[in-house]
Amino acid sequence: MKDQQISINISSGAIEKWRGSGLAIAVYDDGKAQKAVAQCGDTIAKEVQRLLKDGWIAGKAGETLLIPTPANSGVAAQRVLLIGMGDPKKVNPEGLRTLGAQLSDACKKHNINSINSLIALDKHNGIKGVDAFEYMAEGVLLGSYKFETYKSKKDSDKDKDKAVKITFACKKNESTNAKKQLSKVEKICRGVALARDLGNQPGNVLNPATLAEQVTKTMEELPVKVSVMSEKALAKKGMNGILAVGQGSGTPPRMIVMEYRNGGDKQPLAVVGKAITFDSGGISIKPSAKMEEMKFDMCGGAAVIGFMQAVAELKLPINVVGIVPTAENIPSSSAQRPGDIIKTGKGIYVEVINTDAEGRLILADALHHAESFDPVAIIDFATLTGACVVALGKHCSGMMGSDDKLLDRLKEAGEECGDRVWPLPLYEGYQEQIKSTVADIKNVGGPGGGTITAGCFLSRFVEDDRPWAHIDIAGTGWDMASSKPHFPKGATGVGVRLLCRYVEKHIV
Ligand code: BES
Ligand code: MN
Ligand code: ZN
């Protein structure tokens, strides 16, 4: 949940009138303060300069220094918070998001309950004030997320009397725009928070049935039509990929389909997300180290759900179909076995070599189902392969697909929003690796190029001429060791902002 104790406001009024308990001013590591410090008058500007010169603060990114407001400065705020922005030539959107989260953390730490920030009054490294504001607000909201459902003593209770109101000063002619941006960012970050909430739920609470129920409930108030395909409906469509994966579990699989139509007769965009509510590996059981993290194996689905909520709240003039195949991969006497051969919904026969390569089996049926909506493009998100974590680590997701224009656009959207993606090739040779002796294809492609052969497998279930992108978020979907202030430990909600950015630029 987003921490209700933080609120963001915009003001274009005169600085002298600012009462609040604090005033935030940015300083750089070149020993200078931001230009707008001049607007606070000589007394403050000189004092800030002195503190920088005497080394009280170096201006390194994230560094903070809190001082009492110099006497007779003419500014009503009681304290001044200096916050480091690092190298002025290296300021970028992600740095500003980080700074936003650091600013709100500093307020909490120092019991500042209302602060006025000058930071978005200046251009920083070519980034306009209003854009800097948008990035910082995003950082504040992303960083204020907390998952405390299962904590008897909640931080947010302790913080009850510590509500923080952050007011960003902005230029008069930018304030209307800033307000619009703030409302947009708030909706997008609510989508991220929903994806994180779902991701963080444990497997004993979130299973295919409860996930479907929760989606239905969440979308009730929104113009999103939800239909849930039961085991029976899946069987009727011959979707044995998803059925086989879930057949060992007491909670049978579901396919959740969300439709948002506000774009007239435009072809919809289809977004698909893997939601294995717990991946034990099945009969090909995983080792126990870190197996608990496999409750996050539904973060692809969570991204799609968070995105659908954001799109609906933003009332975007587009058509989108969100498809979330969900199952629990767990061994029992009814579980699928290595060696089993299944006929997928598309009719392709698959030999199951390893029951732990289950994501591609549920996605096979989901991608095939997405095709029935004749979408302009299909984008899927999945915590699909450990190999992706080996290849790219935690700093970007792996991306593959069939359409260079779509991939280029996603790459660019990722750089801008911070949910970065990096392309991997789907050369023909990799397809050879998933040939089966007894069936059409097998579900593992051998030791080399595990992320790519998984992508090759998926490619068989989309039409050749359909623009399609597959994003492997195995490394980025969650982070239990995060040190980023705008990414609390746990599910990251990765994918929601990428999709929002992409549709805003290319579909709207
Ligand atoms: N959910 C896992 C992938 C995964 C592993 C994500 C570690 C994040 C961290 C997926 O279902 C899986 O088990 N994949 C196997 C495939 C293999 C058997 C071909 C893997 O990556 O080991
Ligand atoms: Mn698996
Ligand atoms: Zn999995």
Side-chain angles (χ1 to χ4, degrees), residues 265-287:
D265 54 10
K266 273 189 257 179
Q267 272 177 289
L269 170 73
V271 285
V272 176
K274 168 182 172 182
I276 294 292
T277 57
F278 184 71
D279 181 13
S280 69
I283 296 296
S284 315
I285 199 159
K286 287 180 182 293

PDB file of all heavy atoms in Angstrom, residues 265-287:
ATOM      1  N   ASP A 265     -13.154   1.882 -32.453  1.00  0.00           N
ATOM      2  CA  ASP A 265     -12.971   0.591 -33.114  1.00  0.00           C
ATOM      3  C   ASP A 265     -11.498   0.266 -33.400  1.00  0.00           C
ATOM      4  O   ASP A 265     -11.183  -0.590 -34.207  1.00  0.00           O
ATOM      5  CB  ASP A 265     -13.818   0.525 -34.395  1.00  0.00           C
ATOM      6  CG  ASP A 265     -13.536   1.711 -35.304  1.00  0.00           C
ATOM      7  OD1 ASP A 265     -12.562   2.450 -35.026  1.00  0.00           O
ATOM      8  OD2 ASP A 265     -14.280   1.888 -36.292  1.00  0.00           O
ATOM      9  N   LYS A 266     -10.603   0.976 -32.694  1.00  0.00           N
ATOM     10  CA  LYS A 266      -9.172   0.654 -32.826  1.00  0.00           C
ATOM     11  C   LYS A 266      -8.904  -0.783 -32.382  1.00  0.00           C
ATOM     12  O   LYS A 266      -9.544  -1.271 -31.452  1.00  0.00           O
ATOM     13  CB  LYS A 266      -8.340   1.576 -31.910  1.00  0.00           C
ATOM     14  CG  LYS A 266      -7.951   2.904 -32.544  1.00  0.00           C
ATOM     15  CD  LYS A 266      -6.953   3.650 -31.660  1.00  0.00           C
ATOM     16  CE  LYS A 266      -7.618   4.766 -30.891  1.00  0.00           C
ATOM     17  NZ  LYS A 266      -6.791   5.533 -29.992  1.00  0.00           N
ATOM     18  N   GLN A 267      -7.931  -1.432 -33.024  1.00  0.00           N
ATOM     19  CA  GLN A 267      -7.520  -2.775 -32.564  1.00  0.00           C
ATOM     20  C   GLN A 267      -6.950  -2.640 -31.149  1.00  0.00           C
ATOM     21  O   GLN A 267      -6.255  -1.666 -30.857  1.00  0.00           O
ATOM     22  CB  GLN A 267      -6.388  -3.291 -33.459  1.00  0.00           C
ATOM     23  CG  GLN A 267      -6.830  -4.045 -34.692  1.00  0.00           C
ATOM     24  CD  GLN A 267      -5.606  -4.430 -35.506  1.00  0.00           C
ATOM     25  OE1 GLN A 267      -4.960  -3.566 -36.110  1.00  0.00           O
ATOM     26  NE2 GLN A 267      -5.266  -5.715 -35.504  1.00  0.00           N
ATOM     27  N   PRO A 268      -7.237  -3.594 -30.291  1.00  0.00           N
ATOM     28  CA  PRO A 268      -6.702  -3.469 -28.928  1.00  0.00           C
ATOM     29  C   PRO A 268      -5.220  -3.825 -28.861  1.00  0.00           C
ATOM     30  O   PRO A 268      -4.706  -4.522 -29.726  1.00  0.00           O
ATOM     31  CB  PRO A 268      -7.513  -4.510 -28.151  1.00  0.00           C
ATOM     32  CG  PRO A 268      -7.834  -5.565 -29.160  1.00  0.00           C
ATOM     33  CD  PRO A 268      -8.011  -4.844 -30.474  1.00  0.00           C
ATOM     34  N   LEU A 269      -4.580  -3.341 -27.805  1.00  0.00           N
ATOM     35  CA  LEU A 269      -3.244  -3.820 -27.461  1.00  0.00           C
ATOM     36  C   LEU A 269      -3.475  -4.985 -26.503  1.00  0.00           C
ATOM     37  O   LEU A 269      -4.347  -4.894 -25.630  1.00  0.00           O
ATOM     38  CB  LEU A 269      -2.457  -2.719 -26.751  1.00  0.00           C
ATOM     39  CG  LEU A 269      -1.122  -3.148 -26.125  1.00  0.00           C
ATOM     40  CD1 LEU A 269      -0.081  -3.404 -27.220  1.00  0.00           C
ATOM     41  CD2 LEU A 269      -0.599  -2.077 -25.155  1.00  0.00           C
ATOM     42  N   ALA A 270      -2.745  -6.080 -26.680  1.00  0.00           N
ATOM     43  CA  ALA A 270      -2.881  -7.187 -25.731  1.00  0.00           C
ATOM     44  C   ALA A 270      -1.644  -7.254 -24.840  1.00  0.00           C
ATOM     45  O   ALA A 270      -0.517  -7.202 -25.333  1.00  0.00           O
ATOM     46  CB  ALA A 270      -3.071  -8.512 -26.468  1.00  0.00           C
ATOM     47  N   VAL A 271      -1.871  -7.306 -23.539  1.00  0.00           N
ATOM     48  CA  VAL A 271      -0.762  -7.485 -22.600  1.00  0.00           C
ATOM     49  C   VAL A 271      -1.013  -8.764 -21.808  1.00  0.00           C
ATOM     50  O   VAL A 271      -2.125  -9.014 -21.341  1.00  0.00           O
ATOM     51  CB  VAL A 271      -0.585  -6.267 -21.653  1.00  0.00           C
ATOM     52  CG1 VAL A 271       0.046  -5.108 -22.383  1.00  0.00           C
ATOM     53  CG2 VAL A 271      -1.889  -5.827 -21.043  1.00  0.00           C
ATOM     54  N   VAL A 272       0.030  -9.559 -21.697  1.00  0.00           N
ATOM     55  CA  VAL A 272      -0.093 -10.891 -21.102  1.00  0.00           C
ATOM     56  C   VAL A 272       0.931 -11.010 -19.983  1.00  0.00           C
ATOM     57  O   VAL A 272       2.061 -10.526 -20.128  1.00  0.00           O
ATOM     58  CB  VAL A 272       0.173 -11.966 -22.192  1.00  0.00           C
ATOM     59  CG1 VAL A 272       0.145 -13.371 -21.600  1.00  0.00           C
ATOM     60  CG2 VAL A 272      -0.837 -11.849 -23.337  1.00  0.00           C
ATOM     61  N   GLY A 273       0.557 -11.603 -18.844  1.00  0.00           N
ATOM     62  CA  GLY A 273       1.525 -11.721 -17.755  1.00  0.00           C
ATOM     63  C   GLY A 273       1.445 -13.057 -17.027  1.00  0.00           C
ATOM     64  O   GLY A 273       0.379 -13.494 -16.594  1.00  0.00           O
ATOM     65  N   LYS A 274       2.604 -13.689 -16.883  1.00  0.00           N
ATOM     66  CA  LYS A 274       2.694 -14.978 -16.168  1.00  0.00           C
ATOM     67  C   LYS A 274       2.363 -14.789 -14.687  1.00  0.00           C
ATOM     68  O   LYS A 274       2.936 -13.940 -14.013  1.00  0.00           O
ATOM     69  CB  LYS A 274       4.117 -15.528 -16.311  1.00  0.00           C
ATOM     70  CG  LYS A 274       4.448 -16.705 -15.378  1.00  0.00           C
ATOM     71  CD  LYS A 274       5.905 -17.171 -15.534  1.00  0.00           C
ATOM     72  CE  LYS A 274       6.287 -18.215 -14.473  1.00  0.00           C
ATOM     73  NZ  LYS A 274       7.694 -18.662 -14.568  1.00  0.00           N
ATOM     74  N   ALA A 275       1.449 -15.615 -14.177  1.00  0.00           N
ATOM     75  CA  ALA A 275       1.139 -15.552 -12.748  1.00  0.00           C
ATOM     76  C   ALA A 275       1.140 -16.952 -12.133  1.00  0.00           C
ATOM     77  O   ALA A 275       0.089 -17.560 -11.910  1.00  0.00           O
ATOM     78  CB  ALA A 275      -0.196 -14.855 -12.505  1.00  0.00           C
ATOM     79  N   ILE A 276       2.336 -17.464 -11.884  1.00  0.00           N
ATOM     80  CA  ILE A 276       2.462 -18.701 -11.105  1.00  0.00           C
ATOM     81  C   ILE A 276       2.492 -18.244  -9.645  1.00  0.00           C
ATOM     82  O   ILE A 276       3.436 -17.561  -9.225  1.00  0.00           O
ATOM     83  CB  ILE A 276       3.748 -19.466 -11.493  1.00  0.00           C
ATOM     84  CG1 ILE A 276       3.674 -19.965 -12.944  1.00  0.00           C
ATOM     85  CG2 ILE A 276       3.995 -20.643 -10.528  1.00  0.00           C
ATOM     86  CD1 ILE A 276       2.639 -21.058 -13.206  1.00  0.00           C
ATOM     87  N   THR A 277       1.444 -18.565  -8.896  1.00  0.00           N
ATOM     88  CA  THR A 277       1.337 -18.012  -7.541  1.00  0.00           C
ATOM     89  C   THR A 277       2.370 -18.627  -6.598  1.00  0.00           C
ATOM     90  O   THR A 277       2.742 -18.028  -5.602  1.00  0.00           O
ATOM     91  CB  THR A 277      -0.085 -18.183  -6.975  1.00  0.00           C
ATOM     92  OG1 THR A 277      -0.425 -19.580  -7.001  1.00  0.00           O
ATOM     93  CG2 THR A 277      -1.084 -17.381  -7.788  1.00  0.00           C
ATOM     94  N   PHE A 278       2.818 -19.830  -6.927  1.00  0.00           N
ATOM     95  CA  PHE A 278       4.011 -20.386  -6.275  1.00  0.00           C
ATOM     96  C   PHE A 278       4.637 -21.415  -7.208  1.00  0.00           C
ATOM     97  O   PHE A 278       3.941 -22.299  -7.721  1.00  0.00           O
ATOM     98  CB  PHE A 278       3.706 -21.024  -4.912  1.00  0.00           C
ATOM     99  CG  PHE A 278       4.967 -21.495  -4.242  1.00  0.00           C
ATOM    100  CD1 PHE A 278       5.879 -20.575  -3.741  1.00  0.00           C
ATOM    101  CD2 PHE A 278       5.277 -22.846  -4.159  1.00  0.00           C
ATOM    102  CE1 PHE A 278       7.084 -20.987  -3.165  1.00  0.00           C
ATOM    103  CE2 PHE A 278       6.480 -23.272  -3.584  1.00  0.00           C
ATOM    104  CZ  PHE A 278       7.376 -22.325  -3.083  1.00  0.00           C
ATOM    105  N   ASP A 279       5.943 -21.273  -7.420  1.00  0.00           N
ATOM    106  CA  ASP A 279       6.646 -22.189  -8.319  1.00  0.00           C
ATOM    107  C   ASP A 279       7.651 -23.036  -7.532  1.00  0.00           C
ATOM    108  O   ASP A 279       8.773 -22.610  -7.267  1.00  0.00           O
ATOM    109  CB  ASP A 279       7.363 -21.386  -9.420  1.00  0.00           C
ATOM    110  CG  ASP A 279       8.090 -22.304 -10.396  1.00  0.00           C
ATOM    111  OD1 ASP A 279       7.829 -23.531 -10.367  1.00  0.00           O
ATOM    112  OD2 ASP A 279       8.911 -21.791 -11.185  1.00  0.00           O
ATOM    113  N   SER A 280       7.211 -24.239  -7.169  1.00  0.00           N
ATOM    114  CA  SER A 280       8.123 -25.164  -6.468  1.00  0.00           C
ATOM    115  C   SER A 280       8.992 -25.905  -7.477  1.00  0.00           C
ATOM    116  O   SER A 280       9.939 -26.586  -7.106  1.00  0.00           O
ATOM    117  CB  SER A 280       7.294 -26.188  -5.684  1.00  0.00           C
ATOM    118  OG  SER A 280       6.633 -27.047  -6.607  1.00  0.00           O
ATOM    119  N   GLY A 281       8.634 -25.771  -8.740  1.00  0.00           N
ATOM    120  CA  GLY A 281       9.305 -26.551  -9.779  1.00  0.00           C
ATOM    121  C   GLY A 281       8.445 -27.742 -10.191  1.00  0.00           C
ATOM    122  O   GLY A 281       8.634 -28.323 -11.249  1.00  0.00           O
ATOM    123  N   GLY A 282       7.518 -28.147  -9.313  1.00  0.00           N
ATOM    124  CA  GLY A 282       6.718 -29.343  -9.600  1.00  0.00           C
ATOM    125  C   GLY A 282       7.545 -30.589  -9.330  1.00  0.00           C
ATOM    126  O   GLY A 282       8.419 -30.588  -8.459  1.00  0.00           O
ATOM    127  N   ILE A 283       7.308 -31.658 -10.084  1.00  0.00           N
ATOM    128  CA  ILE A 283       8.057 -32.907  -9.875  1.00  0.00           C
ATOM    129  C   ILE A 283       9.557 -32.657 -10.077  1.00  0.00           C
ATOM    130  O   ILE A 283      10.390 -33.209  -9.360  1.00  0.00           O
ATOM    131  CB  ILE A 283       7.533 -34.023 -10.821  1.00  0.00           C
ATOM    132  CG1 ILE A 283       6.073 -34.364 -10.479  1.00  0.00           C
ATOM    133  CG2 ILE A 283       8.431 -35.267 -10.763  1.00  0.00           C
ATOM    134  CD1 ILE A 283       5.829 -34.958  -9.104  1.00  0.00           C
ATOM    135  N   SER A 284       9.909 -31.807 -11.024  1.00  0.00           N
ATOM    136  CA  SER A 284      11.325 -31.392 -11.176  1.00  0.00           C
ATOM    137  C   SER A 284      11.594 -30.325 -10.118  1.00  0.00           C
ATOM    138  O   SER A 284      11.865 -29.156 -10.419  1.00  0.00           O
ATOM    139  CB  SER A 284      11.565 -30.805 -12.565  1.00  0.00           C
ATOM    140  OG  SER A 284      10.972 -31.589 -13.571  1.00  0.00           O
ATOM    141  N   ILE A 285      11.490 -30.748  -8.868  1.00  0.00           N
ATOM    142  CA  ILE A 285      11.444 -29.775  -7.757  1.00  0.00           C
ATOM    143  C   ILE A 285      12.734 -28.968  -7.617  1.00  0.00           C
ATOM    144  O   ILE A 285      13.827 -29.465  -7.896  1.00  0.00           O
ATOM    145  CB  ILE A 285      11.065 -30.507  -6.434  1.00  0.00           C
ATOM    146  CG1 ILE A 285      10.551 -29.519  -5.389  1.00  0.00           C
ATOM    147  CG2 ILE A 285      12.244 -31.332  -5.920  1.00  0.00           C
ATOM    148  CD1 ILE A 285       9.716 -30.173  -4.298  1.00  0.00           C
ATOM    149  N   LYS A 286      12.570 -27.727  -7.209  1.00  0.00           N
ATOM    150  CA  LYS A 286      13.707 -26.824  -7.047  1.00  0.00           C
ATOM    151  C   LYS A 286      14.441 -27.127  -5.741  1.00  0.00           C
ATOM    152  O   LYS A 286      13.831 -27.639  -4.803  1.00  0.00           O
ATOM    153  CB  LYS A 286      13.192 -25.375  -6.949  1.00  0.00           C
ATOM    154  CG  LYS A 286      12.689 -24.777  -8.239  1.00  0.00           C
ATOM    155  CD  LYS A 286      12.207 -23.354  -8.008  1.00  0.00           C
ATOM    156  CE  LYS A 286      11.638 -22.738  -9.271  1.00  0.00           C
ATOM    157  NZ  LYS A 286      12.635 -22.502 -10.331  1.00  0.00           N
ATOM    158  N   PRO A 287      15.698 -26.743  -5.641  1.00  0.00           N
ATOM    159  CA  PRO A 287      16.389 -26.808  -4.346  1.00  0.00           C
ATOM    160  C   PRO A 287      15.733 -25.831  -3.369  1.00  0.00           C
ATOM    161  O   PRO A 287      15.069 -24.880  -3.811  1.00  0.00           O
ATOM    162  CB  PRO A 287      17.813 -26.356  -4.666  1.00  0.00           C
ATOM    163  CG  PRO A 287      17.883 -26.087  -6.128  1.00  0.00           C
ATOM    164  CD  PRO A 287      16.534 -26.182  -6.713  1.00  0.00           C
TER     165      PRO A 287
END
